[in-house]
Amino acid sequence: MKSIVVKNPDELVIEDRPLPAPAAGEVRVRIKLAGICGSDSHIYRGHNPFAQYPRVIGHEFFGVIDAIGEGVDSLRLGQRVSVDPVISCGHCYPCSVGKPNVCTSLVVLGVHRDGGFSEYAVVPAKNAFAIPDNLADHHAVMVEPFTIAANVTGQVNPGKNDIALVYGAGPMGLTTVQVLKGVYKVRQVIVVDRIDERLAMAQKSGADTVINNREHSLAARLIEEGIQPTLIVDAACHPSILQEAISLASPAARIVIMGFSSEPTEIIQQGITGKEISIFSSRLNANKFPLVIDWLTQGLIDPDKLITHTFDYQQVADAIEVFEKDQRQCCKVLLTFPS
Ligand SMILES: [Zn+2]
Ligand SMILES: [Zn+2]
């Protein structure tokens, strides 16, 4: 089988590998579609501190089960599945409180273990979620990116009275906008970004108000309009954002951060305690695949608004380059595998 392998930072090859056999409790998935994410590009460029090399990258993937290991129900053969990349132990403290995404022995497909940019991938059977017949392949491959938004929103229980501010109109920000509007029906969603084309995508995904903070001061605009956001999501992940969010937030607001910066961030405690703000963080997803599959089935979210490019997997290097460089036109890039 052909696999897309990052052998070392900046060294990506398509390699012939032996077809893997599923072990007990595992299934083999014949991949049909995979999505390119920021973390794939970070592993490729050597910017992911968790990555080990060589690695088959890819953690957003969809396909059909074509072989099963011992102990797996034979009815699963031929099933269309999306794969949750989060593999957890099931018994440590975080697992016991419903946070397998921060399991003490966390393994992420495509990061710590070979992932889905391959003609076939072997994964735990319980990580392969059945996709209903009426969900299209190109929607099924988008389950994982929406689980990121499901995890973010799951921390803060959004409501119809919320005024949400989302920093960043990349894939994480846009999936979050769709979930806030489509699922939770929050009153207003404001999106701030530095690229107009991205802000247009945010409007397409349901944003009520968009602000370009390259041209205008976000703080000045919100103060002018008398807006104090009650829910703030930092999907832009710049270390300077948290303090700005604290100062713009309404009393009793919730803030969710997703960044992985190792730079120190200066924040003023008084701004948090004075308004009793709650600060949450969100990483990967905690068992959100069934929820997102349900949202897709109900038509509450629409992946078509995010998919801008599709490439044959053999063009993966070009595809990643488009993803990295063309921030004006490009949002989600899919790779197709031969079926
Ligand atoms: Zn991703
Ligand atoms: Zn665990």
Side-chain angles (χ1 to χ4, degrees):
M1 67 168 183
K2 301 282 188 201
S3 297
I4 295 166
V5 183
V6 178
K7 301 198 83 149
N8 287 296
D10 284 319
E11 190 190 347
L12 182 145
V13 295
I14 296 177
E15 217 173 66
D16 244 320
R17 291 189 159 195
L19 190 63
E26 292 185 335
V27 296
R28 185 174 66 205
V29 180
R30 183 167 52 79
I31 310 297
K32 296 186 82 172
L33 280 171
I36 295 176
C37 173
S39 62
D40 297 311
S41 126
H42 292 152
I43 295 170
Y44 179 21
R45 303 302 180 193
H47 298 153
N48 183 319
F50 306 112
Q52 297 146 0
Y53 301 89
R55 178 62 62 234
V56 175
I57 53 175
H59 59 270
E60 304 173 2
F61 56 105
F62 161 79
V64 175
I65 293 179
D66 89 320
I68 56 171
E70 201 188 306
V72 178
D73 188 344
S74 61
L75 289 173
R76 300 211 62 185
L77 276 168
Q79 205 171 53
R80 299 164 70 238
V81 292
S82 289
V83 179
D84 186 343
V86 174
I87 299 175
S88 57
C89 78
H91 50 73
C92 67
Y93 171 71
C95 282
S96 77
V97 295
K99 293 187 180 243
N101 51 324
V102 286
C103 172
T104 55
S105 42
L106 176 69
V107 171
V108 181
L109 290 167
V111 181
H112 309 98
R113 169 176 160 170
D114 284 342
F117 287 4
S118 183
E119 287 184 298
Y120 295 85
V122 161
V123 306
K126 68 179 170 56
N127 284 60
F129 286 85
I131 295 298
D133 291 343
N134 61 351
L135 264 197
D137 293 2
H138 69 286
H139 282 198
V141 71
M142 292 292 286
V143 172
E144 197 277 345
F146 276 98
T147 64
I148 304 304
N151 208 69
V152 164
T153 51
Q155 309 276 42
V156 292
N157 191 23
K160 292 197 168 72
N161 285 329
D162 269 313
I163 296 173
L165 170 64
V166 177
Y167 280 91
M172 288 197 301
L174 296 177
T175 52
T176 302
V177 170
Q178 286 202 19
V179 171
L180 288 170
K181 288 304 286 191
V183 177
Y184 292 101
K185 322 283 184 204
V186 305
R187 174 143 53 114
Q188 185 182 8
V189 174
I190 303 156
V191 178
V192 58
D193 196 286
R194 301 171 76 83
I195 301 175
D196 281 330
E197 289 85 348
R198 289 273 186 174
L199 291 169
M201 290 186 210
Q203 281 175 311
K204 218 168 108 187
S205 276
D208 302 289
T209 308
V210 295
I211 299 172
N212 186 324
N213 62 344
R214 184 185 290 278
E215 293 151 12
H216 307 282
S217 152
L218 171 65
R221 173 83 182 268
L222 293 185
I223 290 163
E224 187 187 299
E225 298 192 16
I227 295 171
Q228 284 195 308
T230 59
L231 171 53
I232 301 180
V233 178
D234 173 16
C237 304
H238 188 278
S240 68
I241 289 173
L242 181 55
Q243 178 52 41
E244 182 179 77
I246 291 166
S247 64
L248 295 176
S250 160
R254 300 88 84 211
I255 298 174
V256 190
I257 57 172
M258 287 187 262
F260 265 94
S261 171
S262 56
E263 297 296 306
T265 300
E266 196 161 83
I267 54 173
I268 300 161
Q269 285 193 27
Q270 195 181 76
I272 304 171
T273 319
K275 296 193 274 192
E276 203 178 55
I277 288 169
S278 304
I279 299 177
F280 296 82
S281 64
S282 185
R283 180 178 181 193
L284 301 165
N285 89 92
N287 298 322
K288 301 297 186 191
F289 268 63
L291 184 63
V292 171
I293 291 168
D294 182 52
W295 291 345
L296 284 166
T297 311
Q298 289 188 56
L300 301 177
I301 49 176
D302 182 4
D304 291 347
K305 291 174 177 157
L306 308 180
I307 301 166
T308 53
H309 295 72
T310 302
F311 287 82
D312 182 276
Y313 80 99
Q314 288 169 328
Q315 266 81 57
V316 61
D318 295 337
I320 293 178
E321 199 154 308
V322 167
F323 175 80
E324 290 170 339
K325 292 190 176 152
D326 188 6
Q327 293 196 323
R328 293 183 185 280
Q329 311 303 332
C330 178
C331 182
K332 185 50 78 178
V333 180
L334 300 183
L335 296 176
T336 59
F337 289 83
S339 31

